[in-house]
Amino acid sequence: MLSFKRYPTTVAVALTLAAPLMTALPARAAELEEVIVTAQKREQSLQDVSVAVTAVSADDLLRSNIKSIEDLQTRVPGVTFGNDFSFAKLFIRGVGLNSSFAGIDPSVALHVDGAVVAQASAQFASLFDLERVEALRGPQGTLYGRNATGGSINLITAKPTQHFSGYTNLSIGGSDLSYGLDSALSGPLTDAMLGRVAVHYQHHDGYGIHTGSGKDIDDLNVIATRAHLQFKFSDNVDLLLSGEYAKEDDHSKSVHFIAPMFPVPPQPSLRALGLPNVLANSRNVGGDFRPSFESETWSTTATLTWQLSDAVALKSLTNYREFDDQLVQDFDVSDTVNGGFPPAPTSTMQLQAIGDEQFSEELQFIYEGDKLRGIAAAYYLQESIDSLVLLGRDPVRFPERSRVVVPATLDVDAWAVFANFTYAINDLFSVKAGARYSAEERTVENRFGVASPVDPAAVFDPVRRASRDYSDFSPEVGVELRPSSDMMLYATYSEGFKSGTANLGERVPNLVNPETIENFEAGIKSRWLRDTLLLNVAAFKYKVEDAQYDRTYAITAPPFYAARLENAATTDGRGVELESSWLATDRFRLSLSGTYYHIRFDRFLSQNPINPALFGPAGSSLPPEDLAGNSPRNTPDWTAELSATYKWPLTSGASLALTAAAAARDKQYYTEFNDDITGQDDYTLYDANLLYTTPGGKLTLNLWGKNLTDEMIVSGIYVTSTARTITGTYLPPRTYGATVGYKF
């Protein structure tokens, strides 16, 4: 648990920041603003939603310079984010993606205006021109079209406005030479048509270098745009057409050298490639080639809303999205300090390319009566995933000569019907019930090609195909109790389902069973001190069955390892989450949130690939390790976030606002084996910003800094058996800069 004795620096800094501000507080306080969300598919006050949900407003995103999903983990309780091999690793309450191959659904869904972004590799969303971000914790099967066992992150974009308006924000940063542009125009085009267009550009130089070429890595170069056209056919019929495009072309998302798999290799062939000329814990990488990453995505969405009466509405949500990316890296990621460049291409070069096409349709019936309110919906998703993995030699210039070639496809046809309704028996007591029926068909096809060192090209296995149908029924029941207008207590039981699937990196396709969750949750949402103090608490207990994990097995012949997707684990989780905000005066606001989790494996047997005994004389007869009692990946036992904002009104009519924030995390692990070398020790990140607003509020200047103490934090770990190395990715170093904004 969070201990003041154990973490004196964090507490001391927070109190130091808050103390001088609190001494200057006037006695009179304003009221907290009401936050409206659509977490349950209808507009509600955040305090009336019987779900653990956090909302981050557009103003908060701008002031804190939050530009990506990764940045949200310091603002949203229970959320952690990592990445490896260009897969976003979103976790909520210890439930997330446990594989680094295409074809496995994320456990945490990402939606843009209600339309799902199906693949984890496409979840590196840039947060631009948003109204807010909503993060829902726990299974969300009876409210959203796509299954989500861990939770859902919903991006609510800014919509066209009745009056002409717009803004432009220009940013420039410090040592990493960052700069960016966000701009939008919105307003009426005709009496019955509104429009909005937004553009986003973000760039920063590299946080490290490729030691062979001396050029940047972990840089960023992203451009994106979004447009809305809204047709007001009548007072009751509305059509919103949305289009989005984004492209990234840089040298990010490659893994870094952490340590050799075996400090003392049990045999010479298991020595980490690149040794001994390596430097661990470095933002630099070595390898034969400079790593590179490219991605491109576009989508169109049509949202038709027909208000049949004051109580009844029909909505159609139609979405089409295409996504492609390519990552090139060298698993020999040692930070080489001497030697020629480039050496002869080795067997550790990797090219990974993913293409995804998805189409979805969701038809919603929304009812908002005096006592009964809720949603019933039908959903359909069709998805086609293409994956290509090339390993060895020079897969960029001579792909046909790669040592290992794995082309694979996965086709998904899924449909579901679901409903969620709440009935108010009286002003004090309401009951909630929901259910979801899901059905999916998945078909996988792959070839596997391998070449010996002397073969001119890979020799392919026969084409292998496999298909399987899945179905599931997931109920939800709950109660809401409102003893006063300022307090709601709730309790729910819900189930969730993540479809079975196949790992597109395996030699023989293996369609595994679905992953399921049973979740109990109780909470309180309340306002105190004449609406100046918000206090929300949620407690949960869940069990995940048949959790999908990549398991690595030791084999006797090179490359000495084989991976297989399996229903490997059962997980028991329980925890408590706190969110609070105190508006002490018109000038001073203090926010505190945190989580305490006890999430452990109840059943998990697996071999640890970094156990050298597996390659000893008795290695083949060693039983798997019992991992019961270990923590899942990306799941610290506790987290805490504290922020304080103080505003100074100036005599000119302008204002200054200073915000200081601290986000602390307990130790977490990035593999299920909980080895120290594959984890990250507890840490605290400090951010701050100073916002100047001119009279009238049209012009702003924001000075911001993030990770002010320049902590080097591992955000993901991957054991790379090909190069016999332990590799990882890092959170950004200290960044700082200024943003000038103008709005009208």
Side-chain angles (χ1 to χ4, degrees):
M1 294 181 64
L2 178 59
S3 167
F4 289 98
K5 183 176 180 181
R6 185 181 177 192
Y7 297 94
T9 303
T10 302
V11 177
V13 169
L15 293 178
T16 301
L17 291 170
L21 302 179
M22 295 182 67
T23 59
L25 297 182
R28 186 174 174 275
E31 293 184 359
L32 285 166
E33 70 277 5
E34 184 178 38
V35 179
I36 302 298
V37 297
T38 53
Q40 297 189 128
K41 296 297 183 75
R42 58 187 187 275
E43 289 191 351
Q44 294 174 280
S45 169
L46 179 65
Q47 295 303 99
D48 289 332
V49 180
S50 54
V51 175
V53 55
T54 299
V56 184
S57 70
D59 287 342
D60 288 339
L61 296 172
L62 176 63
R63 182 176 59 249
S64 302
N65 200 48
I66 293 175
K67 297 291 187 180
S68 68
I69 296 292
E70 182 178 50
D71 295 335
L72 284 177
Q73 63 186 332
T74 61
R75 295 297 307 275
V76 180
V79 173
T80 61
F81 184 96
N83 75 86
D84 55 52
F85 291 77
S86 80
F87 290 94
K89 297 298 180 69
L90 265 170
F91 278 71
I92 294 181
R93 292 178 173 174
V95 181
L97 179 65
N98 298 298
S99 174
S100 296
F101 292 94
I104 296 93
D105 291 343
S107 297
V108 177
L110 176 69
H111 294 90
V112 180
D113 289 335
V116 73
V117 179
Q119 286 301 301
S121 51
Q123 287 188 332
F124 292 95
S126 295
L127 306 187
F128 73 100
D129 198 41
L130 299 181
E131 182 180 315
R132 65 185 177 278
V133 178
E134 297 175 2
L136 288 78
R137 299 184 287 278
Q140 306 297 326
T142 64
L143 288 170
Y144 292 88
R146 200 64 181 127
N147 307 305
T149 52
S152 180
I153 305 293
N154 304 328
L155 308 185
I156 314 300
T157 67
K159 303 303 189 299
T161 53
Q162 294 284 353
H163 302 285
F164 188 66
S165 63
Y167 66 84
T168 296
N169 297 317
L170 294 170
S171 299
I172 186 166
S175 59
D176 62 326
L177 189 56
S178 66
Y179 47 89
L181 166 71
D182 286 277
S183 188
L185 284 174
S186 179
L189 300 177
T190 68
D191 291 342
M193 183 170 65
L194 307 176
R196 186 182 187 95
V197 61
V199 294
H200 167 77
Y201 177 70
Q202 189 178 1
H203 167 90
H204 67 69
D205 286 350
Y207 298 143
I209 63 169
H210 174 243
T211 56
S213 64
K215 296 181 179 180
D216 282 1
I217 56 134
D218 288 340
D219 57 336
L220 184 68
N221 195 48
V222 173
I223 187 168
T225 184
R226 183 186 301 119
H228 295 298
L229 278 179
Q230 187 173 14
F231 299 88
K232 299 281 190 178
F233 295 119
S234 70
D235 291 340
N236 299 324
V237 181
D238 178 282
L239 173 64
L240 179 68
L241 300 179
S242 305
E244 184 173 308
Y245 174 83
K247 181 178 178 61
E248 180 174 352
D249 185 358
D250 48 42
H251 304 86
S252 64
K253 298 178 178 60
S254 64
V255 291
H256 297 244
F257 179 81
I258 302 294
M261 287 179 64
F262 307 107
V264 181
Q267 51 185 287
S269 58
L270 292 173
R271 182 177 65 86
L273 301 181
L275 291 173
N277 297 321
V278 300
L279 295 174
N281 302 316
S282 172
R283 294 193 179 275
N284 302 334
V285 300
D288 299 338
F289 291 90
R290 182 189 184 193
S292 65
F293 177 74
E294 299 177 34
S295 73
E296 188 172 23
T297 184
W298 65 270
S299 72
T300 59
T301 305
T303 305
L304 177 65
T305 304
W306 186 8
Q307 193 71 40
L308 297 176
S309 68
D310 290 342
V312 178
L314 297 178
K315 180 180 286 190
S316 168
L317 182 66
T318 308
N319 173 259
Y320 179 79
R321 177 180 293 271
E322 287 191 9
F323 170 80
D324 295 280
D325 78 351
Q326 178 177 287
L327 173 68
V328 178
Q329 60 184 340
D330 191 347
F331 292 149
D332 171 16
V333 289
S334 58
D335 186 6
T336 307
V337 295
N338 56 46
F341 176 83
T346 68
S347 61
T348 59
M349 284 296 301
Q350 185 221 29
L351 182 149
Q352 172 186 280
I354 298 172
D356 181 62
E357 297 181 25
Q358 61 172 82
F359 168 81
S360 64
E361 170 64 33
E362 184 172 344
L363 294 174
Q364 303 173 4
F365 169 84
I366 302 170
Y367 185 80
E368 192 76 31
D370 293 336
K371 289 184 174 293
L372 181 67
R373 59 191 187 276
I375 180 176
Y379 180 76
Y380 175 73
L381 172 74
Q382 185 180 59
E383 185 180 11
S384 179
I385 306 167
D386 292 297
S387 171
L388 175 64
V389 176
L390 304 176
L391 187 62
R393 294 173 174 158
D394 188 344
V396 178
R397 292 178 294 188
F398 305 103
E400 69 281 356
R401 296 196 66 244
S402 299
R403 290 283 307 279
V404 178
V405 183
V406 190
T409 63
L410 177 68
D411 293 321
V412 180
D413 277 284
W415 64 269
V417 290
F418 57 92
N420 188 299
F421 282 89
T422 301
Y423 181 75
I425 296 174
N426 52 43
D427 292 341
L428 176 66
F429 187 70
S430 301
V431 294
K432 181 167 71 171
R436 177 191 183 93
Y437 179 78
S438 302
E440 297 197 13
E441 180 185 18
R442 296 200 168 214
T443 302
V444 61
E445 177 180 303
N446 76 356
R447 299 180 71 197
F448 200 99
V450 179
S452 72
V454 297
D455 287 336
V459 178
F460 284 91
D461 295 345
V463 175
R464 291 188 169 96
R465 296 182 181 89
S467 183
R468 185 172 172 183
D469 294 333
Y470 300 93
S471 63
D472 176 78
F473 177 77
S474 302
E476 178 178 355
V477 293
V479 295
E480 300 174 357
L481 183 66
R482 291 177 171 82
S484 72
S485 60
D486 296 326
M487 182 178 296
M488 179 184 70
L489 296 88
Y490 69 92
T492 60
Y493 168 79
S494 60
E495 296 181 7
F497 156 84
K498 185 171 85 167
S499 176
T501 190
N503 180 337
L504 297 187
E506 293 182 16
R507 187 163 197 163
V508 179
N510 176 43
L511 286 154
V512 300
N513 293 330
E515 178 179 298
T516 60
I517 184 172
E518 295 182 349
N519 183 72
F520 297 89
E521 184 174 316
I524 178 173
K525 297 193 172 184
S526 60
R527 287 173 175 259
W528 304 83
L529 303 178
R530 291 181 292 181
D531 281 343
T532 63
L533 175 63
L534 179 147
L535 180 63
N536 295 341
V537 180
F540 67 87
K541 178 177 172 55
Y542 70 67
K543 179 181 282 291
V544 176
E545 300 274 7
D546 289 327
Q548 297 168 2
Y549 276 83
D550 280 332
R551 287 211 287 196
T552 300
Y553 296 92
I555 57 177
T556 56
F560 300 106
Y561 295 94
R564 186 177 176 87
L565 182 69
E566 295 186 357
N567 299 109
T570 298
T571 307
D572 287 312
R574 61 181 183 270
V576 178
E577 299 161 342
L578 165 73
E579 290 187 273
S580 64
S581 185
W582 178 40
L583 189 61
T585 74
D586 291 340
R587 301 184 184 182
F588 179 69
R589 181 168 188 158
L590 188 67
S591 298
L592 174 66
S593 62
T595 63
Y596 175 71
Y597 294 160
H598 184 82
I599 301 174
R600 300 291 188 267
F601 293 121
D602 182 59
R603 178 187 59 82
F604 200 159
L605 298 174
S606 189
Q607 291 181 335
N608 189 342
I610 66 172
N611 177 11
L614 292 173
F615 304 93
S620 60
S621 61
L622 285 178
E625 295 183 23
D626 186 356
L627 306 182
N630 282 11
S631 298
R633 304 175 183 184
N634 295 69
T635 307
D637 281 351
W638 64 260
T639 68
E641 295 89 27
L642 175 67
S643 68
T645 299
Y646 190 81
K647 296 182 179 180
W648 290 272
L650 304 179
T651 56
S652 64
S655 67
L656 280 174
L658 173 64
T659 299
R665 296 287 185 272
D666 194 15
K667 183 167 187 172
Q668 57 186 311
Y669 299 96
Y670 299 112
T671 74
E672 53 272 17
F673 300 99
N674 288 190
D675 299 307
D676 285 340
I677 193 62
T678 59
Q680 168 61 52
D681 289 337
D682 51 74
Y683 65 89
T684 303
L685 298 178
Y686 300 99
D687 300 341
N689 72 273
L690 179 64
L691 177 66
Y692 172 77
T693 305
T694 61
K698 290 188 175 182
L699 185 64
T700 59
L701 173 62
N702 188 33
L703 306 177
W704 48 265
K706 303 174 69 173
N707 188 7
L708 294 175
T709 54
D710 200 22
E711 303 294 328
M712 192 163 180
I713 307 300
V714 176
S715 59
I717 291 284
Y718 191 84
V719 178
T720 310
S721 57
T722 307
R724 322 289 182 247
T725 54
I726 297 173
T727 61
T729 54
Y730 293 100
L731 292 181
R734 175 172 50 231
T735 57
Y736 54 91
T739 301
V740 178
Y742 177 76
K743 62 181 179 180
F744 56 91

